[in-house]
Amino acid sequence: MGLRLYDTSRRMVRDFTPRIPGMVSIYLCGPTVVVPPHVGQIRSQVSFDILHRWLKTTGHKVLLCRNVTDIEDKIISRSLSEGTPWWRITGPVYRSFARAYTTLGCLPPSVEPRATGHIPEMIEMIEQLVATGHAYESEGDVYFSVDSYPHYGSLSRQQAQHMRGSEENERGKRDPRDFALWKRARPGEPFWSAPWGEGRPGWHLECSAMARRYLGGEFDIHGGGANLIFPHHENEMAQSHAAGDAFARFWLHNGPVTHRGEKIRKHVRNPLAVRAVLDHIRPVELRYYLAVAHYRSPVEFSVGAVEEAATAYRRIERFVLRVGSAVGSLPPQFSAAMDSDLNVSQALAVVHSAVGAGNAALAAGDREGAAEKCRSVRAMLNVLGLDPMNEIWSSQSRLQDVAEAVLAVVANLAASSARQGDHERARIMERQMEIALRKRRRIKHPTLIR
């Protein structure tokens, strides 16, 4: 049995076969770079990174296009409220996302287009939709006519009479459900020139144009968070189909991460920002936590769950580092779990079973038996991006060991100075340690803020 994936558009798990044998094309909705990433946003990237790795493991080449939304209403709103040029917001925020992806071991995409670099392609698609009667201009704005596309709502399974209107300005709309393809610029807003006047593209249109540019009119998988199904992905599908593109053959969506039962909001100072969480847990442990549940399941972020995941990963890590064998082959049970709609929780059960057997072999003095299990464990962890002997994780561990050793030396020197009566010198050293620990609190592995 080959890979089977849950297709949101069909509401079923079905056999996946790439359009071009041996090559899988994926469009993944990337970040809107308005504030640094939080754990909910990074879960999507981890989930699709595991898909990326599994496809490569099973012999496929992967063409992954992950966009960057660097012009959008929220970005402009922050720019105007802070009196800061939009590009001075998007540049640093983009880099914070890139660091988070790298820190959590995500493979780089094949291409990472920015919306602002593809305005001509967007204007071309809008002109095509206007020419075919699927869009109309109104006082400098251009809207997609939902009524012109009879299959609207097929992705989200919503009935037309139950759909809410878009949250955009209602000026000049023929139908409240119509959504903007081009937005006329207001005073102080960034703009580009177009046949309808100065303005900017609508968010939904950006993705359709970039997907067409890099993946063509038809591609294998469109991915993103479940929160994007409506209206974003519904609108993408409608406008791309109306423009004559077959668009995505499969639609995959990961579940949300909530905190205390609520959606994690985007804030500049967010206690659940990836950088803040990584002050209290190692990156590989956060990756394990985000990966352990099935990708379609919701995850409730809690201190207990994170600490439990970290403990589970450390059991695996201790075994691998103790035995330290080469990478072996994958057990059939693991492959079957991954082929079953990326059932990572079941796959990890196979990992833990092999670790248990390996530890039992060590206890019995069977080094070769333990090594055999370790080779299998490392092969499985490689698929999940969790192998502790991988360079990215082992280098982070070495840096942490050095940091802990340096801090231990400073602490001993401070204690020695205090014993010798040089309390001022001791206080200075202790103060320097406090500053260092505030900058990188994970050196101490403290408890997460509750």
Side-chain angles (χ1 to χ4, degrees):
M1 182 184 74
L3 178 61
R4 291 171 58 81
L5 296 169
Y6 183 86
D7 183 0
T8 304
S9 66
R10 302 282 189 90
R11 294 296 192 275
M12 62 183 292
V13 175
R14 61 191 188 97
D15 294 339
F16 174 77
T17 304
R19 189 174 65 90
I20 301 173
M23 167 66 77
V24 179
S25 49
I26 304 173
Y27 186 89
L28 176 58
C29 275
T32 297
V33 286
V34 60
V35 294
H38 58 65
V39 291
Q41 293 169 301
I42 210 71
R43 184 197 183 191
S44 181
Q45 304 305 317
V46 170
S47 297
F48 285 96
D49 182 64
I50 291 172
L51 171 63
H52 187 176
R53 289 170 179 272
W54 182 237
L55 289 169
K56 292 182 70 174
T57 299
T58 52
H60 296 87
K61 294 181 179 179
V62 178
L63 176 57
L64 173 61
C65 177
R66 182 180 69 205
N67 75 295
V68 177
T69 299
D70 60 348
I71 194 68
E72 191 260 352
D73 291 353
K74 294 183 181 67
I75 295 170
I76 295 172
S77 177
R78 182 183 171 192
S79 169
L80 295 175
S81 67
E82 296 180 4
T84 304
W86 62 272
W87 48 267
R88 291 193 66 179
I89 293 171
T90 59
V93 173
Y94 164 75
R95 290 191 289 274
S96 71
F97 272 91
R99 281 194 299 271
Y101 298 154
T102 301
T103 301
L104 267 72
C106 294
L107 298 174
S110 309
V111 62
E112 194 173 30
R114 296 189 179 210
T116 54
H118 298 79
I119 304 296
E121 291 92 336
M122 297 169 193
I123 291 174
E124 180 183 350
M125 180 172 273
I126 295 171
E127 288 179 319
Q128 183 180 359
L129 291 167
V130 171
T132 54
H134 290 290
Y136 58 92
E137 186 268 341
S138 176
E139 302 178 8
D141 296 312
V142 181
Y143 295 104
F144 182 85
S145 174
V146 169
D147 193 52
S148 74
Y149 181 68
H151 303 296
Y152 190 78
S154 60
L155 179 64
S156 58
R157 301 294 175 93
Q158 296 195 53
Q159 298 297 319
Q161 63 269 27
H162 297 143
M163 288 183 188
R164 65 181 186 275
S166 72
E167 297 175 357
E168 299 159 338
N169 194 304
E170 297 293 326
R171 63 189 182 194
K173 283 189 179 184
R174 298 175 183 173
D175 185 317
R177 300 170 300 161
D178 294 350
F179 55 90
L181 303 176
W182 186 261
K183 297 185 175 185
R184 184 183 67 202
R186 296 183 176 91
E189 294 183 344
F191 62 84
W192 288 261
S193 296
W196 317 281
E198 294 176 341
R200 65 183 184 278
W203 174 40
H204 314 302
L205 191 281
E206 293 174 357
C207 286
S208 286
M210 288 187 283
R212 173 191 273 187
R213 167 68 177 79
Y214 292 100
L215 303 180
E218 183 179 13
F219 54 93
D220 292 308
I221 296 171
H222 195 313
N227 61 304
L228 299 178
I229 296 174
F230 188 87
H232 186 47
H233 288 171
E234 189 72 68
N235 292 350
E236 276 189 67
M237 174 188 279
Q239 65 201 7
S240 291
H241 285 180
D245 293 342
F247 211 51
R249 299 172 63 244
F250 276 73
W251 289 84
L252 270 63
H253 293 95
N254 64 277
V257 178
T258 57
H259 180 55
R260 296 174 181 169
E262 296 183 356
K263 176 183 176 181
I264 301 174
R265 302 292 177 181
K266 297 177 183 177
H267 297 296
V268 176
R269 294 179 179 84
N270 190 337
L272 295 181
V274 172
R275 182 175 180 179
V277 173
L278 290 180
D279 279 341
H280 307 284
I281 186 173
R282 291 185 300 159
V284 67
E285 293 165 351
L286 179 58
R287 182 182 174 98
Y288 181 96
Y289 168 73
L290 293 173
V292 68
H294 192 279
Y295 76 93
R296 287 192 284 117
S297 301
V299 170
E300 169 66 17
F301 187 91
S302 70
V303 174
V306 171
E307 292 177 344
E308 182 180 335
T311 299
Y313 179 75
R314 289 169 194 166
R315 284 197 295 269
I316 300 171
E317 182 182 44
R318 281 194 296 270
F319 169 71
V320 171
L321 296 180
R322 184 180 178 187
V323 178
S325 63
V327 177
S329 57
L330 292 170
Q333 304 96 314
F334 179 90
S335 298
M338 295 300 294
D339 275 340
S340 181
D341 193 29
L342 303 178
N343 194 334
V344 172
S345 56
Q346 185 176 332
L348 280 170
V350 181
V351 172
H352 283 286
S353 176
V355 168
N359 281 324
L362 282 175
D366 182 5
R367 294 290 303 180
E368 180 51 39
E372 180 183 351
K373 290 299 179 182
C374 188
R375 287 191 288 270
S376 175
V377 167
R378 287 198 63 201
M380 293 185 280
L381 293 178
N382 264 325
V383 171
L384 303 175
L386 293 169
D387 181 7
M389 296 185 72
N390 183 282
E391 183 179 356
I392 182 174
W393 308 128
S394 61
S395 62
Q396 289 177 2
S397 296
R398 286 195 297 272
L399 286 173
Q400 176 142 331
D401 291 342
V402 170
E404 289 175 345
V406 169
L407 287 173
V409 169
V410 175
N412 289 334
L413 287 173
S416 176
S417 296
R419 285 194 298 270
Q420 294 172 15
D422 192 349
H423 297 288
E424 181 61 26
R425 182 178 179 83
R427 279 194 293 272
I428 291 172
M429 290 183 180
E430 289 169 353
R431 178 62 177 162
Q432 289 173 335
M433 281 195 297
E434 289 174 5
I435 293 171
L437 291 171
R438 276 204 299 273
K439 290 180 178 178
R440 269 293 173 265
R441 287 187 293 274
R442 67 172 174 265
I443 292 170
K444 289 181 68 179
H445 295 291
T447 303
L448 281 163
I449 297 172
R450 296 179 188 274

